[in-house]
Amino acid sequence: MKPWGTRILLIGALFLLSYTVRLKQRQTPQGTPSPGPGPGPGTVELPDGTFTFRLDPAAFRAEFPQLQSYRCRELIPGDGVCTGAPGPPLLLLAVKSHPASSARRATARRTWARPGVLGGYRVRAVFLLGMSPEPRHMALLEEESQEFGDVVLWDFAEIHHNLSLKERCFLRWVGARCGQADFIFKGDDDEFVNPPALVAYVLQTPNAAHVIHGNIQRHSVVMRGGKYRVSSALFPQGKYPNFPSGGGFLLPRASVPGLAAASERIPVFPLDDVYLGFLALAAGLRYRHDDRFRVFGMKDELCLYGEAVLVHGVSLDRVEEVWRGLYTERRCNGTGPLPS
């Protein structure tokens, strides 16, 4: 391992220790601050024509201080992902992953995440990660970075609420290191992504470069319990703004500056897909819904995968089987070519 890889492990261990201590000190019972008398100064108001959403920075600082105070710092910068000689326009596959998910990344690299040129677009993947407390996971990640050069690692802990930090920091990363990407697909490592269908979708959709594409959730109900719980003290309203489901969506390059600017003034919401919805609303961006973004799964039939842009929640073995059936054995009519 290179010396700087050893430093990553040391920095990560120290960071996670201090992070855990700070988090325990700051948490209130059930993670819920006492409700105040009402929205404080600096409250952000975001109307969408149906509702006006109010975000009180003081409430966010009280309940999720680590999300509001974090400043993006890259331990592995991924500065070679978008470099190279000028060529076809770039379609970047930005994949949220966990340090422990090396097998998922390996499967993706063998199938849908391998680089190439497809339909006039250069397709390139980058994996987005936070820190793990397991040195073994971090060592494997460093080896992957050296071999493939497709990893960006930040020094926040890889936990559920920090996915919103991954969203915010990625917007900064794109602006600094990959501003030439014409389209950015954001997805997860536990899914089947179909780059030929994705490129075909871009080429066939009018005004594709002017809207955000995905499976759009419209005024979803706020959940007060379970994994996606949000307290009424943090967000008292009962509905969210529209947002693209985090399982997979497509951003055009023109949307990135507005989203990044909004991330500098909007409190970091603890659910990453809802957070993007707030950023898009603040930036005045529009959506296009398409059912081919199969974020909630579908009937497990090979040719349906060929029609989808993505299918969320697919096992590793099934990803390999589907890829082989569509693009090696060619068992479905109408599937496009593989990246060259």
Side-chain angles (χ1 to χ4, degrees):
M1 183 183 298
K2 291 183 178 179
W4 67 279
T6 304
R7 289 198 295 273
I8 286 174
L9 297 180
L10 179 59
I11 291 171
L14 292 173
F15 170 81
L16 288 171
L17 177 62
S18 64
Y19 176 91
T20 302
V21 171
R22 292 197 309 271
L23 188 59
K24 288 181 178 179
Q25 289 174 339
R26 290 172 173 173
Q27 281 180 331
T28 56
Q30 292 85 46
T32 304
S34 300
T43 295
V44 178
E45 295 193 348
L46 300 171
D48 73 351
T50 302
F51 302 105
T52 296
F53 303 95
R54 295 176 177 85
L55 304 177
D56 183 355
F60 282 80
R61 288 193 298 269
E63 191 164 342
F64 291 99
Q66 74 280 7
L67 295 184
Q68 315 313 314
S69 63
Y70 178 74
R71 297 295 176 262
C72 302
R73 185 170 71 146
E74 300 152 0
L75 295 180
I76 300 178
D79 49 8
V81 171
C82 299
T83 58
L90 175 61
L91 169 61
L92 182 68
L93 308 179
V95 185
K96 293 173 288 184
S97 189
H98 189 289
S101 299
S102 58
R104 290 194 177 279
R105 292 189 294 277
T107 295
R109 290 185 183 107
R110 285 194 298 270
T111 57
W112 55 263
R114 61 188 187 185
V117 177
L118 176 62
Y121 279 87
R122 180 165 63 101
V123 179
R124 185 77 164 96
V126 61
F127 293 93
L128 313 175
L129 301 104
M131 297 291 294
S132 166
E134 291 290 334
R136 178 174 58 89
H137 296 158
M138 302 311 298
L140 286 173
L141 190 63
E142 164 64 15
E143 292 175 5
E144 289 179 47
S145 176
Q146 291 185 33
E147 181 175 358
F148 300 104
D150 60 0
V151 168
V152 177
L153 172 69
W154 290 279
D155 66 356
F156 54 74
E158 185 67 65
I159 59 176
H160 176 63
H161 286 141
N162 283 355
L163 290 174
S164 295
L165 295 180
K166 195 176 288 188
E167 200 71 54
R168 184 171 188 260
C169 293
F170 175 73
L171 291 170
R172 288 189 174 193
W173 180 87
V174 168
R177 302 184 186 273
C178 200
Q180 69 270 42
D182 284 69
F183 287 93
I184 300 158
F185 171 82
K186 288 290 300 299
D188 298 331
D189 63 7
D190 62 340
E191 60 193 24
F192 172 82
V193 182
N194 192 349
L198 186 57
V199 169
Y201 173 88
V202 167
L203 294 174
Q204 296 166 6
T205 301
N207 298 316
H210 301 289
V211 296
I212 296 173
H213 310 259
N215 194 302
I216 309 304
Q217 306 304 297
R218 302 192 181 279
H219 293 144
S220 295
V221 174
V222 178
M223 300 178 70
R224 302 301 184 190
K227 179 180 179 180
Y228 302 106
R229 171 188 179 274
V230 170
S231 74
S232 57
L234 184 79
F235 188 68
Q237 295 172 254
K239 296 289 185 70
Y240 287 131
N242 299 341
F243 61 86
S245 179
F249 56 90
L250 186 68
L251 299 173
R253 177 171 56 187
S255 70
V256 172
L259 292 171
S263 75
E264 298 296 327
R265 65 184 186 89
I266 301 296
V268 180
F269 202 85
L271 303 178
D272 59 325
D273 47 6
V274 176
Y275 177 51
L276 184 74
F278 282 119
L279 297 183
L281 182 57
L285 299 172
R286 297 179 297 114
Y287 297 119
R288 183 182 188 277
H289 174 87
D290 197 290
D291 288 332
R292 286 173 287 183
F293 290 81
R294 301 279 191 173
V295 296
F296 302 112
M298 66 176 190
K299 191 174 182 180
D300 190 18
E301 294 183 359
L302 177 65
C303 294
L304 293 180
Y305 284 89
E307 298 170 3
V309 169
L310 73 102
V311 182
H312 197 252
V314 183
S315 71
L316 297 183
D317 289 344
R318 188 55 175 153
V319 168
E320 301 261 19
E321 291 171 358
V322 169
W323 190 260
R324 183 170 59 252
L326 291 179
Y327 297 115
T328 302
E329 300 169 1
R330 313 285 299 181
R331 288 194 276 134
C332 292
N333 294 326
T335 54
L338 284 172
S340 57

